[in-house]
Amino acid sequence: MTATCDLAIIGAGPAGMAAATTAAYLGLSTVVLDEQPEPGGQIYRGIERLAATRSQHLKILGPDYATGLELVRAFRKANIDYLDSTQVWQVEPDGRVFYRRNGAAGILTAKKILIAPGAMERPFAVPGWTLPGVLTCGAGQTMLKANGLAPKGRFVLAGCGPLLLLFAAQLVRAGVKPAAILETTFNRWAALPHLPGFLAASGYFGKGLALLRELKAAGIPIHKGVTRVAITGDTQVREIEFVFGGETRREPVDTVFLHQGVVPNGNLAWSLNLAHEWDEAQRCFRPKLDAWGRSSVPMILVAGDAGGIVGAAGAEAMGRVAAFAIATDLGKISTEECSERASAARASLAKQRAARPFLDALYRPHQRWLAPPDSDTVVCRCEEVRTGEIRRLVTEQNCPGPNQMKSFVRCGMGPCQGRLCGLTVVELIAECRGLPISEVGYYRIRPPVKPVTVGDLATLDVATRHDAVGL
Amino acid sequence: MFALLPDIPQTQVTVIINGGAVSVPSGFTAAAAMLMHNNGATRTTGISGEGRAPYCMMGVCFECLMEINGEPNQQGCLVTVNEGMRINRQLGKREVLG
């Protein structure tokens, strides 16, 4: 494969695949680097293998998952250098991409770089969320998609969001019923003004209602307005305590699936120092982008959920839009051609975006999940820093922000590099200081954003190696 | 903690989990194999020693760090199994030059 290319794309989910397919069609030499062994991202995880070896499961996962197959096939057919099982640990604003594949480090140089690492589930810190047997709904769904694995024994789903309901329905179809759904949605009326945009986005409303009907027909108890979730256990989960309607209940469980919506998977964008803004409706930071996905760094574009949550169809459209912009910037097509050829993708993106405010308002996480009240709830899972300590450091030691929190207690400095605590930490600091989150800011994320060993680095030539570690 | 949905014959791979040979379908990740065949913790933390197990299954949480073919600190959810792979729980921090 070539060490230089027109376009390097990081991520092979809907945004990355659509962008790559479009870019290749427009004549750009395109390289796609993705962490997984198969294309699809998390939303279409394992779809090729599933279709080939256990297509019966397509019925369980539903038609939206199956649509990914078409995208994957087009991606496979296009003239793209696709590096699977590849971890990108550093991107430089001069176009260099450092990666690790098959136990060796590699480097390529691109004229444009499209970042499309997708979304991750919002950190949902509740007492006991570190116990073995507590996973995210996304993790559970991944195992259903990629492995045909379903939870054994008694389990519940807790939180809110479309993914939670979809996962519950998929499990029911697989013949594995949740003991209960603990719903944390708290202000349905706030979503009402945004209903027209949601209704205009083809089919979402009907799909949502159908999921709820499916769960009801299966007799799954859905406890609405849950205000407290606490998980207890020893070597693994044993019990979940929850409060709804003023009543406290305990259920014995073997597994718990948590979900509180999704947020941009942002470490790569942050590591590049892209300008970011706080999105109040989605309650997360996202990179500042123009209508085509161009970031504050000229060479870098962002597409898909990493640029703000747009969903799979929106991500796909955004990938295509970005590919047209890149082809224009590289002189492959004229500006006029670009606006003409990108118009369908832009219209589709606009429609998908118009559907978001309803979902954002309906499934907005309550403050009690964003800034957990119990003082012994673990926030930084890696370094085991708890809510009480973070609050104390802000109020008593005047720790002003997330980066100072690192210096105080190593919060956010473990292997996950703040991915699982960053938003909770800034919510807690903002709450204690009475500041808007935009003023609190976020962790300063530095490369490597994925683990790389000294041995890996030694496989690079000396000049590159010094560059990579900033010497 | 997890079991296969029934009635789908798949190509199997033998892996050694915590010293015992087990079968998993090919294409599984080491973390998925662990969740199928290992109850409870797949690692203990280097801070307090408490038990943890895979949490996100998509490469962001690093809770699935395990020892694979003698190599510690591997993200089990990103490693595809192959015949004879040795997958072990990781206890505490990795040893330097272990």
Side-chain angles (χ1 to χ4, degrees), chain A residues 113-183:
Chain A
I113 294 170
L114 180 69
I115 298 184
M120 53 171 274
E121 285 165 281
R122 179 190 299 280
F124 186 9
V126 293
W129 73 312
T130 53
L131 280 164
V134 181
L135 297 95
T136 67
C137 283
Q141 200 190 39
T142 288
M143 281 186 280
L144 205 53
K145 290 173 182 169
N147 310 112
L149 282 176
K152 269 195 290 199
R154 253 179 96 78
F155 65 95
V156 299
L157 282 60
C160 66
L163 174 65
L164 183 145
L165 296 175
L166 176 61
F167 178 48
Q170 289 168 333
L171 288 170
V172 168
R173 287 174 214 154
V176 186
K177 284 189 187 177
I181 293 175
L182 317 181
E183 247 276 351

Side-chain angles (χ1 to χ4, degrees), chain B residues 68-90:
Chain B
I68 298 175
N69 290 334
E71 190 76 34
N73 271 355
Q74 301 302 299
Q75 280 182 277
C77 76
L78 295 177
V79 177
T80 306
V81 296
N82 49 38
E83 188 65 30
M85 180 179 274
R86 286 170 291 123
I87 309 166
N88 283 326
R89 282 188 288 253
Q90 178 167 316

Side-chain angles (χ1 to χ4, degrees), chain A residues 9-86:
Chain A
I9 299 174
I10 295 132
M17 287 191 294
T21 308
T22 307
Y25 183 70
L26 294 170
L28 302 179
S29 60
T30 304
V31 180
V32 174
L33 307 95
D34 186 77
E35 210 162 45
Q36 295 297 329
E38 304 152 301
Q42 299 307 322
I43 193 86
Y44 305 127
R45 180 84 180 254
I47 192 161
E48 281 181 324
R49 205 159 30 88
L50 184 138
T53 62
R54 45 186 179 94
S55 57
Q56 303 92 311
H57 288 175
L58 284 172
K59 275 202 300 280
I60 292 173
L61 294 164
D64 283 346
Y65 176 73
T67 57
L69 212 45
E70 207 177 311
L71 194 56
V72 171
R73 282 180 182 148
F75 174 75
R76 287 286 197 189
K77 253 190 251 163
N79 182 22
I80 297 161
D81 275 320
Y82 165 48
L83 301 182
D84 61 12
S85 309
T86 300

